[in-house]
Amino acid sequence: MEFIQTLLANQVLVSILLSALPLVFIVLMVLVVLYTEMKVAAHIQDRVAYMRTGWHGVLQPIADMLKLLQKEDIIPTKSDKLLFRTAPFIAFTGTYVAYAVLPFSSIYIGSNINLGAFFLVAAGSFVVIGILMAGWASNNKWSLIGGIRSASQMISYEIPTALAVIIVVMITGSLNLQDVTKFQDGGMGNWIVFGGPLPWMQKLMLMPFTLVTFFILFVASIAEVNRTPFDFPEAESELVQGFNTEYSGMRFAMFYLSEYANLFTVSAVVVSLFLGGWSSPFGTFMSGPLWGIFWFVVKAYMFMLIQIWIRWTLPRLRVDQLMFVSWKVLTPWLFVCILGVGLILVL
Amino acid sequence: MSAIKTYFYNIYHSLLTVIVGMRITIKHIFTRSATIQYPTVKMKIPERGRNRLFVNIDDCIGCDQCAIACPVDCITIETIKSTPDMDLGITSKKTKKRLYIPCFDIDIAKCCYCGLCVWPCPTECIVMTDVYEFAEYDRQNLIYSFSNMTTEEITAAQDRLEKYNEEQAAKKAAATVAVKESPASSTSASPVTPPPIKPAPPTVEPNQG
Ligand code: SF4
Ligand code: SF4
């Protein structure tokens, strides 16, 4: 970061450059994830997916994106034009600001603010405004139901997410994601999911609580990105794509991009909170700023793989089950974890 | 079960089912996919599969049986009788051909591949092949013409038939005149017309069928 700063010697240019970097990353990452998703889905169903565009269809995501961009941008006559137009951008902005606080490497973090973890939670709920706007502005019953469902889902699942973050904060003593990651540096044993770098007695006692928290955060994160089994806002079979029923072309592509970018964000959050972020799993071996990016992306990618795997395994829950899981299972268990972790840390 | 027990049992059970489901799906990732890369790799179609029709027009005797059998009337056959002086050859089943076939069209777009036209054919010349890729951009291209007669041949055949018919009619007229004249000379009174060819009265056969 300092290197680029001295190279350009212009604060404005540097900020623009640094804030554009994640955009490039998002686009590349979305292409890769799209391809992975289609391939994994196909192989789970004993199919093969794209085979014709390039070697085993590797160029297909690019072709898909180009096709989406060329499509006609249809705006329904009876819709609320202003909201309808701005909604995709708001949703994408919500996703994109979250990248500002993701510690990609020990030297690269968009904005090293002290409230990183909470900023992430807040940015995550910003997306729902875009979705709700889209649902409302489309003037379509399904879209509206999709939007409302999205809001209710987000409200319910923000709480387990925030509680899980609190547990990590209790252990690390910092909300800054860079500090949280540094706290876990030095090998797999130091990851918070295994109790963090504490004396072994404490660590052993913490382990069950952190494991449960980790698992709950993972479940909540799937719900936050609206993926199966929690894909209520779009629910193809019942809501005809929910909030994006009326969207097409470029605007639909924005939603699409935002969804997949969000997928990376939540994986990255889980990784940096519990799995040591950019730090190498083998202590000093293969560690360094560039290896940091590698580890960060690889870990997050593993998580996305698991999410894809879950998506193509489980059917959608019922709406009441969704609420049940959030309020009666995840939240109480997290309270127990908070209590346990607090007691252990105090003693 | 008490409420608490149900609660814990539900959590345990849902986790268990998720794990079971995910085990199944990961197994499928590593099994061979069932896809056949169609245009490059083709499945073997069954030996007696019903696909595109083919008519070996050299064997067709123009009996119209296939057209009658077709439930959707997609076969159009026109025939011209041949004159006795022409020899149309015989089919591979040693049936003598007596009809010219100027038109044998199958509208394959209407065809439902039922195969009903295949069985009645006495010479086994209308058959199902194993060709199934014959999509066209224009529907007209799906009307297959199997007749191999040129326009000249058709007109020639028609002319010959007309001439022959005229000749026959002339002969008949001459015969009638001859018949009319001869009795008139021998007997006077009631002129006897030759008995018209009456259709046989329908006979009821009660024990038929
Ligand atoms: S296959 Fe059936 S529908 Fe097709 S031409 Fe023969 S009888 Fe008609
Ligand atoms: S049944 Fe056979 S011989 Fe008769 S008209 Fe049809 S194809 Fe020709």
Side-chain angles (χ1 to χ4, degrees), chain A residues 297-309:
Chain A
V297 174
V298 163
K299 285 174 192 171
Y301 189 72
M302 293 316 283
F303 261 93
M304 286 192 272
L305 273 183
I306 296 175
Q307 283 180 340
I308 291 170
W309 177 16

Side-chain angles (χ1 to χ4, degrees), chain A residues 32-281:
Chain A
V32 174
V33 175
L34 268 181
Y35 182 75
T36 324
E37 169 127 44
M38 285 308 132
K39 278 290 179 188
V40 170
H43 282 282
I44 279 179
Q45 297 166 353
D46 286 355
R47 297 181 286 118
V48 288
Y50 332 117
M51 288 299 275
R52 286 175 190 282
T53 24
W55 180 83
H56 276 238
V58 280
L59 298 178
Q60 187 66 39
I62 300 173
D64 278 352
M65 275 294 152
L66 284 180
K67 186 200 75 177
L68 260 186
L69 295 187
Q70 288 170 9
K71 288 229 166 160
E72 189 188 353
D73 181 17
I74 301 168
I75 299 174
T77 349
K78 293 269 174 71
S79 65
D80 188 328
K81 300 273 178 342
L82 183 68
L83 291 188
F84 191 86
R85 288 215 172 100
T86 43
F89 300 101
I90 288 189
F92 185 72
T93 315
T95 315
Y96 190 51
V97 288
Y99 279 74
V101 291
L102 290 184
F104 277 90
S105 151
S106 50
I107 51 156
Y108 182 78
I109 176 166
S111 163
N112 201 3
I113 54 174
N114 280 334
L115 274 172
F118 270 121
F119 184 81
L120 266 178
V121 176
S125 36
F126 194 65
V127 180
V128 77
I129 299 179
I131 292 178
L132 197 54
M133 266 168 77
W136 174 258
S138 298
N139 197 8
N140 174 325
K141 286 176 214 111
W142 285 313
S143 303
L144 184 58
I145 295 175
I148 302 284
R149 274 188 186 183
S150 174
S152 70
Q153 183 174 333
M154 204 57 85
I155 290 168
S156 315
Y157 280 85
E158 278 298 286
I159 289 164
T161 316
L163 288 178
V165 170
I166 284 179
I167 289 176
V168 175
V169 172
M170 280 163 72
I171 297 171
T172 58
S174 168
L175 273 170
N176 186 328
L177 284 178
Q178 193 69 284
D179 291 350
V180 171
T181 310
K182 278 191 190 125
F183 181 80
Q184 307 173 54
D185 204 358
M188 219 187 279
N190 286 351
W191 292 355
I192 289 182
V193 66
F194 302 124
L198 298 169
W200 69 270
M201 258 309 271
Q202 230 172 356
K203 199 173 149 111
L204 217 60
M205 269 149 62
L206 269 182
M207 196 124 72
F209 296 107
T210 48
L211 273 174
V212 170
T213 318
F214 165 72
F215 181 75
I216 290 176
L217 180 61
F218 181 56
V219 174
S221 74
I222 297 177
E224 283 212 30
V225 285
N226 303 331
R227 286 174 70 83
T228 327
F230 302 104
D231 63 340
F232 293 91
E234 23 195 302
E236 293 99 338
S237 50
E238 34 187 291
L239 290 185
V240 205
Q241 283 298 338
F243 61 89
N244 45 34
T245 307
E246 301 288 356
Y247 280 89
S248 55
M250 187 64 192
R251 280 168 226 279
F252 178 70
M254 285 308 260
F255 272 125
Y256 212 61
L257 203 64
S258 137
E259 188 187 324
Y260 279 93
N262 232 336
L263 186 63
F264 180 82
T265 320
V266 292
S267 310
V269 171
V270 175
V271 164
S272 43
L273 288 182
F274 282 95
L275 297 177
W278 42 257
S279 66
S280 158

